[in-house]
Each structure stands twice: as structure tokens, then as C-alpha cells.
Amino acid sequence: MPSGETRYGVAISCPFTLGLGLGAVQLARIYQLSIAETTKISVMCGSLNGNLSRVEGTVNTGLGAGSAYRVSAFISEGTDIANGGSYSINIPSSSGQDLLVLGFNSSSTLQRARIVHNLNASSNLTGQNFTLTASDAVTSQTVNAFTPPAGFTGSYSVRFRSKNNAYARVGSGTSAGGSYAALPGAGAEDLYFALGWASSLGREVAHIRSFSTPAALSFSLPAEWPGGYSVNPAALPTFNNLTHLASDPQFRAYQMLIAWSPVGFLAATVSKGWLGSSTSYSFPDLTALGGFSAKPFSGESVEWLVRAVTSNKTLSELLSTAPALLSEEAIFGLGFAAVGGLEYKTASTSGDFVVP
């Protein structure tokens, strides 16, 4: 850093191949931060269509007639298969992969689960057969009711993520509350990620929590982003009036995303320290730099999103560890660290425009 400079920006060109028949996704991520907040950023970047190994076998759930099972692994939650039937799943070729074997009763309720750590999948594997027993029984944990903003519809989802990124949904419901399943055999490096959220007409509020020790869950949603927000329509739009949640002691950053055509995405994380007293942000034009060609053309339809982020963790803790691969957030650069004890809240609004 030049003497006297306290802020910096990092731009990452990160094309993805998602296997959606769309070719490579043109993704650019921008981080605009202060050195007082963090000097390290860890991102996930690459192809999800790399070298894969096929794992095959059968599962006996031990739950009788009408039961089913699911085998989940890296980036794949699997599909339901009748008890005793054969499964086949693709996972990255390596010696350290995890599988989650889930057994469901005839009412489709998760009853049993086994975590298979560090499977050697350097090549295709057959005969990976499992019989679930009473020792694999899950235990039920409570999700308490929470209150969405007026006019919003609330829901929750709980996912389990093993240390090597095998993941599966272990509970879901509405803001009226419910339960999730705690899996036997989980260790300190295996994490649960719980999301409580509410949405209405392009606005959303969310509370995200991560933990390794299962317990009753409560969610507390932040204030919703005020209605009527809009951006200045341009190929690289400006986001004004960035004040929502900025006075919260745990406010960390604003995040923006624009998307156009099937494969064009531009994401930015702009920290509290970088913004200072400013309340606006414009995406920079990176097209003159090698590898940064993504920018919508005149006449293209653009979808946009802006959200405020608060967290009990510092920005250094949020960004210095690679994000959990649980959703498109991680892929598009809006996710945060896969660490236990994390809580963060977001309030977002979104819309669209046509580039003049």
C-alpha cells in the first residue's frame, strides 16, 4: 500500500462452468475495504465440472416398508431412492470426500443419518453399501417461532455441512417454528447453518447462524429495507442512499449484485471503512483490464440487488476463510466464512431496469 493510503480495492475475474448448458458464467467480484478491517480475502473460484468420481452402492434404511434414503455429497443433495435401491452420485476426485447417508420413514421424515468422512474417491467406487441402524437415529431440536415484518412471509431452513462440504437440509418450516434433525456422529468441524428469513415483493430480511453443537434455535430479523428504493439505471449503476442499518454497531458492509443475460454477473462487497461518510456506490468500469470483459450492453435487462450486512464477527473473520458452499451466494461472492459461532443479518431490496 502507498504511504498514507488506508483503503484498497480488489477485483477478481472468476469465470465458472456450472454445467447448466450455458457455457462459462462471466463473474467479476469486487471488494472495496479498509486495511483496518482486513488484509486477507478468501474466495471460491473455478469450475464445478472438474474431475469427478462416481460412487455407487445400496442403502438399507432399517425403517421398513415405504421408507427411502438419500445420499448427499459435495454440491449435491441427492434424490430420494426407495429403500434397498441403488444409488449413483458424482463427487470430486480426491482422497478426502464426505458422504451423508440419510434415511426417511414412510412419512418422508428424516429418522436416521450417517456421516461418512474422508472417503477415498480418487477413482470410481462401487459397492459402497450402508445399513442404517438404531445407532444412526437423529434427534429432534426445536426451532422457535419468530416474527416477520408486517406484510412479509417468513420461513426457516437448517442445513448440515460436513467438514468436506457434503451437505443436506435437515429441517425447514415457516416462521411459526418447528424442528430440525441433529445428526449422530457430527464433530467440531461439521457445522449446521440455520437461516431464518422473510420476504415481500423483492425485499428480504434474514438471520443466518452457524454452530457445531445442536440446540434450540431462535431467529431475530433485522429491520426491512425501506420500500421504494431504486438505482440509477446504467450499464454500471449507482446505488444511492446507502444508510440502512449503517448505524448498527455490528454493521459491516453493503453488498451489491447485478445480473444480465444468462451468464453475466458483477458483485461488490463495500465495507463500512471504505465508505466512510459516503452514502453512494458506483460499480467501477473494469473492462479495460485484462480478463474483465463483463458489462451489460445498451438495451439489456439488468436485475440488481443491494443488501446491508451486520455480524457478530469482524470483516476479517467473515472474509479470510472460504465461504460454505451452500447456495449461489458462495458462487457469486456474497457468502461468508464457513466458521462456527457465526451470526450475520441481512436486509436487502432488489429490482430491475433496462440499460439506456
Side-chain angles (χ1 to χ4, degrees):
M1 291 283 291
S3 177
E5 292 290 342
T6 59
R7 303 183 305 163
Y8 65 98
V10 176
I12 302 169
S13 178
C14 191
F16 269 86
T17 303
L18 295 176
L20 303 177
L22 300 174
V25 171
Q26 300 301 311
L27 170 61
R29 299 173 179 169
I30 299 167
Y31 297 87
Q32 303 205 247
L33 312 164
S34 73
I35 58 175
E37 292 167 318
T38 186
T39 56
K40 179 181 178 181
I41 304 167
S42 182
V43 301
M44 182 187 68
C45 191
S47 172
L48 300 187
N49 282 346
N51 294 328
L52 299 175
S53 294
R54 183 174 294 275
V55 181
E56 299 176 341
T58 62
V59 175
N60 181 350
T61 66
L63 297 173
S67 65
Y69 72 89
R70 186 181 304 160
V71 177
S72 301
F74 184 81
I75 75 169
S76 173
E77 291 195 70
T79 57
D80 289 350
I81 300 171
N83 185 35
S86 299
Y87 73 88
S88 178
I89 191 168
N90 290 324
I91 61 177
S93 298
S94 79
S95 59
Q97 293 297 320
D98 294 348
L99 296 180
L100 300 180
V101 183
L102 309 175
F104 300 84
N105 65 15
S106 58
S107 299
S108 300
T109 301
L110 177 60
Q111 297 280 288
R112 294 178 175 178
R114 185 176 299 174
I115 307 164
V116 182
H117 280 310
N118 297 316
L119 188 70
N120 186 348
S122 299
S123 59
N124 294 337
L125 296 175
T126 59
Q128 298 300 302
N129 305 323
F130 303 97
T131 298
L132 302 181
T133 67
S135 64
D136 298 307
V138 304
T139 55
S140 181
Q141 296 288 341
T142 298
V143 177
N144 295 314
F146 58 97
T147 304
F152 282 55
T153 300
S155 303
Y156 77 86
S157 177
V158 183
R159 286 186 174 185
F160 176 84
R161 191 223 64 163
S162 74
K163 66 177 182 178
N164 290 320
N165 267 321
Y167 68 90
R169 184 177 288 106
V170 295
S172 61
T174 71
S175 57
S179 64
Y180 71 97
L183 306 191
E189 294 182 279
D190 302 312
L191 293 175
Y192 295 84
F193 288 83
L195 167 64
W197 80 96
S199 59
S200 174
L201 301 175
R203 293 186 293 161
E204 183 175 285
V205 288
H207 181 186
I208 298 92
R209 310 181 64 183
S210 67
F211 51 92
S212 58
T213 302
L217 273 176
S218 296
F219 296 107
S220 176
L221 301 178
E224 68 272 26
W225 196 289
Y229 186 84
S230 62
V231 304
N232 292 340
L236 297 170
T238 296
F239 293 79
N240 292 312
N241 301 316
L242 297 176
T243 59
H244 189 58
L245 299 185
S247 61
D248 189 301
Q250 293 189 331
F251 173 72
R252 300 293 180 239
Y254 289 107
Q255 293 185 307
M256 298 83 167
L257 175 70
I258 60 172
W260 66 98
S261 73
V263 294
F265 299 90
L266 184 59
T269 295
V270 184
S271 75
K272 177 181 180 179
W274 192 91
L275 279 171
S277 60
S278 176
T279 58
S280 67
Y281 177 78
S282 299
F283 277 107
D285 191 342
L286 304 174
T287 55
L289 302 178
F292 291 91
S293 59
K295 181 179 176 181
F297 296 107
S298 176
E300 283 196 281
S301 178
V302 174
E303 296 181 4
W304 58 266
L305 176 143
V306 58
R307 73 181 190 181
V309 179
T310 68
S311 180
N312 66 329
K313 301 291 187 180
T314 66
L315 209 56
S316 176
E317 293 171 300
L318 291 173
L319 294 177
S320 62
T321 302
L325 182 56
L326 294 171
S327 71
E328 66 278 3
E329 286 196 355
I331 297 171
F332 297 136
L334 301 183
F336 289 118
V339 295
L342 170 66
E343 297 203 20
Y344 71 96
K345 299 181 181 183
T346 66
S348 66
T349 187
S350 60
D352 59 73
F353 62 84
V354 174
V355 179

Short mmCIF file of all heavy atoms in Angstrom, two decimals, residues 6 145 147 195 221 313 354:
data_model
loop_
_atom_site.label_atom_id
_atom_site.label_comp_id
_atom_site.label_asym_id
_atom_site.label_seq_id
_atom_site.Cartn_x
_atom_site.Cartn_y
_atom_site.Cartn_z
N THR A 6 -5.27 4.17 3.26
CA THR A 6 -5.92 3.32 4.25
C THR A 6 -7.01 2.44 3.65
O THR A 6 -7.57 1.59 4.33
CB THR A 6 -6.54 4.17 5.37
OG1 THR A 6 -7.51 5.06 4.79
CG2 THR A 6 -5.47 4.97 6.09
N ALA A 145 -40.66 -20.01 17.15
CA ALA A 145 -41.37 -19.07 16.27
C ALA A 145 -40.65 -17.73 16.27
O ALA A 145 -40.03 -17.32 17.26
CB ALA A 145 -42.81 -18.91 16.74
N THR A 147 -40.87 -13.50 14.39
CA THR A 147 -41.84 -12.54 13.86
C THR A 147 -41.30 -11.84 12.63
O THR A 147 -40.32 -11.09 12.71
CB THR A 147 -42.19 -11.48 14.92
OG1 THR A 147 -42.67 -12.14 16.10
CG2 THR A 147 -43.26 -10.52 14.40
N LEU A 195 -30.94 -20.67 8.69
CA LEU A 195 -31.37 -19.43 8.05
C LEU A 195 -32.84 -19.19 8.36
O LEU A 195 -33.70 -20.02 8.06
CB LEU A 195 -31.17 -19.54 6.53
CG LEU A 195 -31.85 -18.48 5.65
CD1 LEU A 195 -31.28 -17.09 5.94
CD2 LEU A 195 -31.70 -18.83 4.18
N LEU A 221 -34.96 -11.11 13.26
CA LEU A 221 -34.76 -10.49 11.95
C LEU A 221 -34.47 -9.00 12.08
O LEU A 221 -35.02 -8.33 12.95
CB LEU A 221 -36.00 -10.70 11.08
CG LEU A 221 -36.39 -12.16 10.82
CD1 LEU A 221 -37.66 -12.21 9.97
CD2 LEU A 221 -35.27 -12.92 10.14
N LYS A 313 -19.22 -11.16 13.88
CA LYS A 313 -17.83 -11.36 13.51
C LYS A 313 -17.30 -10.13 12.78
O LYS A 313 -18.05 -9.38 12.15
CB LYS A 313 -17.69 -12.58 12.59
CG LYS A 313 -18.17 -13.89 13.19
CD LYS A 313 -17.27 -14.37 14.32
CE LYS A 313 -17.69 -15.75 14.78
NZ LYS A 313 -16.82 -16.26 15.88
N VAL A 354 -33.72 -1.60 -17.68
CA VAL A 354 -33.13 -1.81 -18.98
C VAL A 354 -32.05 -0.77 -19.18
O VAL A 354 -32.26 0.43 -18.95
CB VAL A 354 -34.18 -1.72 -20.10
CG1 VAL A 354 -33.53 -1.81 -21.47
CG2 VAL A 354 -35.22 -2.83 -19.92
#
